Amino acid sequence: MIKFFLMVNKQGQTRLSRYYEHVEINKRTMLEAEVIKNCLSRSKDQCSFIEYKDFKLVYRQYAALFVVVGINETENEMAVYELIHNFVEVLDKYFSRVIMFNLDRVHIILDEMVLNGCIVETNRNRILAPLFVLDKVAES
């Protein structure tokens, strides 16, 4: 099961966070700082899977953006690694350039892909269908 999903820039600033288990706000801040420090300090030659406390971290770097997913021990690391890549491809397909001004749309995309910590959809067209409907309604 996925515990959390983070998008972080190279400066260590969290750009998006979604938690699928209850974590108090002050603990989230500490958790994010530790997770970001662990991922940013690794070289490109090192594995993208990290054992951390009672869960695993799976991360990928895209230019100046890191996508980090915290999972429990039963989740398949490679499946989550591919989920991250699929998520970034969906973002790339929907947004022409800047995504940080459209975080509501990014949350919709993530919600279409992951529900209560479980991967529910990977088909790009089905993930983007609700957004295209919203876009058509907004144009009207």
Side-chain angles (χ1 to χ4, degrees):
M1 184 177 139
I2 295 173
K3 294 179 173 239
F4 59 84
F5 196 101
L6 303 173
M7 288 177 64
V8 181
N9 67 14
K10 273 191 171 180
Q11 289 75 38
Q13 299 167 318
T14 302
R15 294 298 179 194
L16 173 130
S17 66
R18 169 78 80 210
Y19 288 83
Y20 298 100
E21 292 181 344
H22 175 72
V23 180
E24 295 176 18
I25 297 295
N26 57 346
K27 290 185 180 179
R28 283 184 187 189
T29 306
M30 288 183 358
L31 174 70
E32 288 175 20
E34 291 173 14
V35 164
I36 292 165
K37 182 180 159 206
N38 276 333
C39 293
L40 292 179
S41 65
R42 295 174 66 89
S43 73
K44 290 184 179 185
D45 297 331
Q46 291 180 294
C47 180
S48 294
F49 310 142
I50 304 171
E51 298 265 340
Y52 178 77
K53 295 189 178 181
D54 62 336
F55 53 90
K56 299 175 192 172
L57 301 174
V58 179
Y59 73 94
R60 278 184 99 148
Q61 181 180 0
Y62 294 92
L65 188 69
F66 284 82
V67 180
V68 184
V69 180
I71 59 173
N72 65 11
E73 64 281 344
T74 62
E75 190 71 46
N76 183 331
E77 294 98 338
M78 285 305 293
V80 174
Y81 192 71
E82 285 302 311
L83 170 75
I84 294 169
H85 186 67
N86 192 33
F87 175 71
V88 171
E89 285 182 339
V90 170
L91 293 178
D92 190 47
K93 184 175 179 180
Y94 183 73
F95 296 105
S96 57
R97 293 191 131 218
V98 181
I99 63 171
M100 290 305 132
F101 298 122
N102 300 299
L103 280 178
D104 58 329
R105 304 296 174 144
V106 177
H107 278 277
I108 291 170
I109 291 170
L110 184 56
D111 289 343
E112 288 293 319
M113 297 178 78
V114 179
L115 179 66
N116 292 330
C118 297
I119 301 168
V120 293
E121 187 61 71
T122 58
N123 182 290
R124 289 181 196 104
N125 293 328
R126 287 195 293 245
I127 293 166
L128 291 174
L131 288 171
F132 292 143
V133 170
L134 285 173
D135 291 345
K136 284 183 182 177
V137 170
E139 289 174 4
S140 308

